[in-house]
Amino acid sequence: MKKLKQIIAQVKTTDEASAGFNDLLWQLICYSPKMPVRLQQQQLLDEAEKFSLTAYDEHFTHTHLKFNGFKWGSGTHKIVITHGWGSKAADFAELINALSLIPDTTIIAFDVPGNGSSEGELSNGALFADAAKAVIGQYGTPDILIGHSLGGMANIMALNDNGAKPKLLISVTPLIRLKENFESSMAAAGVSAEPQAAYLKSFEELVGRAASSYDLEKLYQRGPEQQHFLLYDEADMISPYKFIRDFLSARPFIRNKNYTGAGHAGIIRSPEVIADIVAAISAILK
């Protein structure tokens, strides 16, 4: 978090017309803050079977980045968790502990490249999706696929690419529109409209697709045959409710529930949320 604060301070004090300002915006948008692991989280990681896989970083380093994964249990029912931006597998400690009480399960979580304990300085949606695909490729289609924030969008992108069909998809405050998230982050750092537009143009040139294409309204290819539980907080400012509302209104078959006040990051630790996720999974696996 200290480095992110330094980046924000530098963005705020640098002349927007300077040659290197757009490079600063890449740091602002693509540096994922890394928070230390708490004692309880480390104890959970110590109990896990460790593994490592790779995801190709086609936009920054042009190398295969190693990312770290963790597996608990050896049951026949696989549960895979994809964390969100600025997060890591260990942040799901409370949920993982609760899920481990469900009989006959294997729980798998991982740190996306550029996040947590994994390699990489910068990260993006492509690395999130490719890491999820690598885990599914290694361990097979999970019975349950859980994603938080950007991890929710990444899971959809991974399923689109590999055609996997989990029994239950769980999305917790999923990011709906990436472009608007970028704009919000830049505006919060005091960046004016013109350099925002310049950054979005450079994003499209580097990535080969516009930031606006990272939109669950466009990416979601599932119908009523896919059981899907979407959990959100209508007061969430990171994944605004107006976008989730529009997404859900076009897909009335998606079960959903509001947890006002849970918070974008805190929702994955909410006892009510954890209880509802465990109940939903137990009903599917019974």
Side-chain angles (χ1 to χ4, degrees), residues 21-27 29-30 59-60 182 186 194-211:
F21 190 72
N22 194 62
D23 292 336
L24 274 179
L25 294 185
W26 274 98
Q27 291 281 327
I29 297 299
C30 296
H59 301 126
F60 303 125
F182 288 172
M186 288 187 283
E194 187 173 343
Q196 284 191 38
Y199 170 76
L200 291 172
K201 181 179 179 181
S202 70
F203 178 93
E204 184 171 0
E205 290 171 349
L206 178 67
V207 176
R209 58 190 292 186

Side-chain angles (χ1 to χ4, degrees), residues 71-93:
K71 186 158 70 80
W72 296 267
S74 56
T76 57
H77 301 303
K78 294 189 292 293
I79 302 172
V80 171
I81 303 173
T82 307
H83 66 75
W85 189 258
S87 186
K88 54 190 178 297
D91 290 336
F92 290 85

